[in-house]
Amino acid sequence: MSTAVLSPPTTVNSVRRRLVLGLAVAAAILVVLMAASLALGAEHVPFGQVWRALTVGGTDADVIVRDVRLPRTLLGVLVGSALAVAGALMQALSRNPLAEPGLLGVNAGASLGVVIAMAYFGIGALSGYIWFALIGASIATVAVYALGSAGAAGASPARLALAGAAITAALTGAISAIVLLSSTVFNGFRAWSVGTLSGRTAPVVIQVAPFIVIGVVLGLFLVSSLNALALGEDAAKGLGANVARTRLLGVVATTLLCGAATAAAGPISFVGLVVPHMVRTFTGPDHRWLLPYCLLAGPILMVAADLAGRLIARPGELPTALVTAVVGAPVFVYLIRRRRMAGL
């Protein structure tokens, strides 16, 4: 009799312990990868020298560790977290398992902002056009939301997806038209659009960090509403969730996350699409656990991809976006074959 009474709480507690332990393991893996990112590359730096360069300074490795590898590693953590959380938010808001950060035109808006900065303002430095990318991403998202919400029916996942596809197509055409008119703009845009953490400095990290932190906090604030929304709009309203507010705040969070990440590193594919599905196979659809795991799993993938790109092609390096695509595509196919994409 007592066993039957104690069994459900015991099961819940064991699941919670497993999930907490998983977070601790993921955090440890991320720390190890960050340390490896600081030490490994075209020139190997012993871990002892890495530690001294970070804490004391005055070593030959100061420039490599503190000025080159530390900013790109921190940016990899920020961009990975942003894209993974944004992907999870978009999949929840649209109830579409194929939703990813490019769905609402964010990537296309950021790209158009970069092109305009290069072509009409003569801005070639990342620290200059990063603001144009953020503005472009914001305007594109507002346009998608306004178009998807027009009419008496209001916003819906299908309408937002269609509006996003239409805006993305229009912005992509505008980008192509501007880029083809100038070889200088074409070369500059091509360097940004490959998607990489290379060459990113501390000022870039400082510029994008506030946007990503605000977006993450806003996303975590919505976890209960997202769980209710997963049951359907009618059920969510019955549970007291404000569907319109949840969708609007979710779009704002996604814009901040995707806009900042894309502006800093260029378009990075598959992170926002694959990571939430990978995490969901372990945590289930509960966003109270899904989003914290995405906060760690996204950076793990980004930092590992950046490190792999440096080691595979040393003394050169492969763009981070290329590595994430090569890794993400087969993983996504594997997840589809296992039919793990249900239950958003």
Side-chain angles (χ1 to χ4, degrees), residues 26-40:
I29 293 173
L30 179 58
V31 170
V32 171
L33 283 172
M34 291 176 66
S37 178
L38 296 175
L40 304 178

Side-chain angles (χ1 to χ4, degrees), residues 39-63:
L40 304 178
E43 181 177 345
H44 173 66
V45 179
F47 287 104
Q49 290 189 28
V50 170
W51 179 252
R52 286 194 296 273
L54 293 175
T55 57
V56 180
T59 68
D60 295 336
D62 282 1
V63 174

Side-chain angles (χ1 to χ4, degrees), residues 219-273:
L220 293 175
F221 173 75
L222 296 174
V223 290
S224 297
S225 298
L226 293 175
N227 283 341
L229 190 60
L231 301 175
E233 292 193 12
D234 293 335
K237 292 176 182 177
L239 292 173
N242 189 323
V243 175
R245 186 187 65 179
T246 299
R247 186 167 286 131
L248 177 60
L249 293 179
V251 169
V252 172
T254 301
T255 302
L256 292 173
L257 293 170
C258 296
T262 304
I268 305 289
S269 60
F270 279 102
V271 177
L273 179 62

Side-chain angles (χ1 to χ4, degrees), residues 9-132:
T10 302
T11 302
V12 171
N13 289 335
S14 64
V15 171
R16 184 178 293 111
R17 285 195 297 269
R18 178 178 66 88
L19 293 172
V20 171
L21 178 61
L23 283 175
V25 172
I29 293 173
L30 179 58
V31 170
V32 171
L33 283 172
M34 291 176 66
S37 178
L38 296 175
L40 304 178
E43 181 177 345
H44 173 66
V45 179
F47 287 104
Q49 290 189 28
V50 170
W51 179 252
R52 286 194 296 273
L54 293 175
T55 57
V56 180
T59 68
D60 295 336
D62 282 1
V63 174
I64 297 176
V65 174
R66 299 171 67 171
D67 298 338
V68 178
R69 293 182 183 172
L70 180 60
R72 72 185 293 171
T73 300
L74 293 177
L75 187 62
V77 173
L78 289 172
V79 170
S81 296
L83 294 178
V85 171
L89 288 175
M90 295 190 72
Q91 290 168 12
L93 292 171
S94 65
R95 300 180 67 191
N96 180 356
L98 296 179
E100 51 90 26
L103 181 66
L104 294 182
V106 179
N107 289 348
S111 299
L112 182 59
V114 171
V115 168
I116 291 175
M118 293 178 177
Y120 300 109
F121 293 90
I123 298 175
L126 178 61
S127 58
Y129 60 64
I130 190 172
W131 298 104
F132 285 83

Side-chain angles (χ1 to χ4, degrees), residues 60-339:
D60 295 336
D62 282 1
V63 174
I64 297 176
V65 174
R66 299 171 67 171
D67 298 338
V68 178
R69 293 182 183 172
L70 180 60
R72 72 185 293 171
T73 300
L74 293 177
L75 187 62
V77 173
L78 289 172
V79 170
S81 296
L83 294 178
V85 171
L89 288 175
M90 295 190 72
Q91 290 168 12
L93 292 171
S94 65
R95 300 180 67 191
N96 180 356
L98 296 179
E100 51 90 26
L103 181 66
L104 294 182
V106 179
N107 289 348
S111 299
L112 182 59
V114 171
V115 168
I116 291 175
M118 293 178 177
Y120 300 109
F121 293 90
I123 298 175
L126 178 61
S127 58
Y129 60 64
I130 190 172
W131 298 104
F132 285 83
L134 284 168
I135 293 172
S138 301
I139 293 176
T141 305
V142 171
V144 169
Y145 193 81
L147 183 61
S149 304
S156 69
R159 287 168 62 88
L160 288 174
L162 291 173
I167 294 295
T168 298
L171 294 181
T172 301
I175 292 169
S176 299
I178 297 173
V179 166
L180 292 176
L181 293 176
S182 171
S183 59
T184 302
V185 175
F186 175 79
N187 291 331
F189 178 71
R190 182 179 60 181
W192 173 82
S193 64
V194 295
T196 181
L197 301 177
S198 177
R200 275 46 176 179
T201 58
V204 175
V205 178
I206 295 172
Q207 284 178 318
V208 301
F211 298 99
I212 294 177
V213 170
I214 294 173
V216 167
V217 171
L218 187 57
L220 293 175
F221 173 75
L222 296 174
V223 290
S224 297
S225 298
L226 293 175
N227 283 341
L229 190 60
L231 301 175
E233 292 193 12
D234 293 335
K237 292 176 182 177
L239 292 173
N242 189 323
V243 175
R245 186 187 65 179
T246 299
R247 186 167 286 131
L248 177 60
L249 293 179
V251 169
V252 172
T254 301
T255 302
L256 292 173
L257 293 170
C258 296
T262 304
I268 305 289
S269 60
F270 279 102
V271 177
L273 179 62
V274 173
V275 170
H277 287 298
M278 294 175 60
V279 169
R280 203 173 283 113
T281 62
F282 184 75
T283 65
D286 189 347
H287 289 85
R288 294 174 299 177
W289 291 103
L290 178 64
L291 292 189
Y293 266 88
C294 285
L295 272 175
L296 295 173
I300 288 175
L301 177 57
M302 278 295 298
V303 175
D306 181 54
L307 181 59
R310 280 185 270 161
L311 296 179
I312 292 173
R314 59 185 305 186
E317 61 179 78
L318 296 174
T320 310
L322 176 61
V323 180
T324 59
V326 170
V327 174
V331 170
F332 192 58
V333 171
Y334 172 73
L335 292 172
I336 293 175
R337 291 179 62 85
R338 291 192 62 182
R339 298 182 180 180

